[in-house]
Amino acid sequence: MTTFTVSQGDTYQSTVRFDKYPSVYNTLQVSLRGSAGTFDGVALSVCDGYQISIPTTTLAVGTYTGYLYVVENGARILLDTFQIIINPNFLTAPASTVTPSFARQALAVVESQILACGSAGYLQITADGKTIQRITVTELMKQRMELLQEIELEEQDDRINSGQPARKPVLISFR
């Protein structure tokens, strides 16, 4: 089975030919099945072959198995199978659809631990009748600030990579 990889938002295109089932007399059906969704379409007849075009804008990121078949006398005849992997497009995907960075994941953990401290000012664990004090809120707040700075640097890199200015513009007024 052949595997193809595309970025989400791109269109996968290919031209195939099946001598036993020429495009003049048959219609090639294209079907994708995967845990992230499905796609069903029809290939275009071009010269003596078929042009397959799969837009990935409506498909979720994931791995799909593709089936190429014709229908003859009411029965599907499978001609070929393939696999297509749709990866996230980091240049066009909104931040919410991209896997969170380590800094964002760590920030979520640190903030939940700050909330867990409560009024005590430190985290503590009780196990087997013994209480163990761990990290103080001050240390957690310091980690939180460091992670926020790391996230700001990541966002700055994202802006530069997408062609935007590194920093947000500063408005200047002349009087």
Side-chain angles (χ1 to χ4, degrees):
M1 181 182 312
T2 307
T3 301
F4 304 99
T5 303
V6 296
S7 293
Q8 190 175 32
D10 294 343
T11 299
Y12 168 77
Q13 288 189 335
S14 177
T15 303
V16 295
R17 180 179 166 182
F18 299 101
D19 292 333
K20 190 173 178 183
Y21 300 97
S23 61
V24 176
Y25 304 110
N26 297 284
T27 301
L28 183 67
Q29 305 287 325
V30 181
S31 179
L32 292 181
R33 297 291 180 260
S35 60
T38 62
F39 170 83
D40 291 301
V42 177
L44 296 174
S45 174
V46 291
C47 296
D48 58 348
Y50 302 96
Q51 181 180 2
I52 300 167
S53 181
I54 302 171
T56 62
T57 52
T58 59
L59 293 172
V61 172
T63 302
Y64 298 83
T65 301
Y67 304 95
L68 302 177
Y69 61 92
V70 295
V71 177
E72 189 173 69
N73 298 327
R76 286 184 179 185
I77 300 171
L78 182 64
L79 302 178
D80 197 8
T81 61
F82 61 97
Q83 187 176 50
I84 188 165
I85 300 170
I86 301 174
N87 292 324
N89 188 337
F90 294 107
L91 296 177
T92 61
S96 62
T97 61
V98 178
T99 304
S101 66
F102 172 79
R104 289 186 188 279
Q105 293 174 8
L107 179 64
V109 171
V110 167
E111 288 179 338
S112 69
Q113 294 301 315
I114 289 171
L115 292 173
C117 286
S119 61
Y122 56 86
L123 285 174
Q124 65 181 19
I125 300 173
T126 303
D128 294 330
K130 296 179 183 178
T131 301
I132 303 169
Q133 293 182 0
R134 293 197 307 175
I135 195 165
T136 65
V137 172
T138 306
E139 292 173 25
L140 287 170
M141 292 301 286
K142 183 180 174 185
Q143 286 181 354
R144 181 179 181 274
M145 291 308 297
E146 290 172 0
L147 290 169
L148 286 172
Q149 289 172 350
E150 180 67 27
I151 290 169
E152 176 59 32
L153 290 174
E154 289 174 359
E155 290 173 350
Q156 183 176 357
D157 288 344
D158 290 344
R159 286 192 296 269
I160 291 170
N161 290 336
S162 65
Q164 299 173 0
R167 294 276 179 203
K168 295 178 182 169
V170 177
L171 300 176
I172 302 173
S173 66
F174 296 95
R175 295 180 186 197

